[in-house]
Amino acid sequence: MIKMYPFRNAVTVSHMLLEPYAQKARVLVDMTSGNGHDTAFLARLMPDDAVLYAFDIQACAVEKTKARLREEGLDGKDVRCRCGSHDVLLEEVQPDVDVIVFNLGYLPSGDHSIHTNCEITLKAVKIGLNKIAKNGIIMIAAYPGTEAGDREEKALHSFLQTIPQKDFHVSSWQPVNEVHCPPLLYIVQKRGKRHYEEIPLHQD
Ligand SMILES: C[S@@+](CC[C@H](N)C(=O)[O-])C[C@H]1O[C@@H](n2cnc3c(N)ncnc32)[C@H](O)[C@@H]1O
């Protein structure tokens, strides 16, 4: 059955775009597992022999992620939840990662002062560019509605503009009629040679 995703916000659109990639992925990374919604989404879709790393800097978020996976009956999947900063933890992941997801900002139900850090986010994205497989995707939801989030989004946008076009497709999605400052989505794909046809991950 084809699932219809609403064009509601950066996260729903990211899930819609990620679905075919997650279904074929061998290695996935959720860089900010938080309450575990994105981790559970990826774990549900990924093949049984795939591995998903889920990182968060807060121990309470790691516990929430583990609990969500249990509640959703996803404990059979190979999900490796780790507590720490994603720039450090991503370095330890093998190369050729198929899917990397950043959902920036703060934990909605938690301490809002623990926000993703602009400099660390840029460092982690750069590591991701070196780890991502051909045709793999780095998906970034950024939240410019707070001071820290605005600074982070602007820095991210400036950096993403400098990524060489010959190596990566970089695009974005944003709502246009929202009265507040809605989250934006950035999509980075490492280029392979094939275009306009089904692209198996890891291949040209
Ligand atoms: C918007 S929440 C993530 C929501 C989550 N993806 C979900 O589906 O529930 C952002 C998360 O980033 C985490 N975070 C902030 N800085 C981090 C860092 N340097 N490394 C890893 N996680 C970080 C926060 O603790 C918070 O849980």
Side-chain angles (χ1 to χ4, degrees), residues 1-22:
M1 195 182 74
I2 294 174
K3 181 165 182 199
M4 308 290 277
Y5 292 84
F7 285 86
R8 188 191 309 140
N9 58 41
V11 173
T12 58
V13 174
S14 79
H15 286 192
M16 172 166 53
L17 297 174
L18 281 170
E19 186 168 311
Y21 290 89

Side-chain angles (χ1 to χ4, degrees), residues 2-46:
I2 294 174
K3 181 165 182 199
M4 308 290 277
Y5 292 84
F7 285 86
R8 188 191 309 140
N9 58 41
V11 173
T12 58
V13 174
S14 79
H15 286 192
M16 172 166 53
L17 297 174
L18 281 170
E19 186 168 311
Y21 290 89
Q23 284 173 336
K24 289 194 168 188
R26 291 185 220 151
V27 184
L28 310 89
V29 184
D30 183 350
M31 297 290 277
T32 54
S33 69
N35 288 317
H37 295 286
D38 295 314
T39 307
F41 167 78
L42 296 171
R44 219 177 291 126
L45 289 173
M46 73 188 203

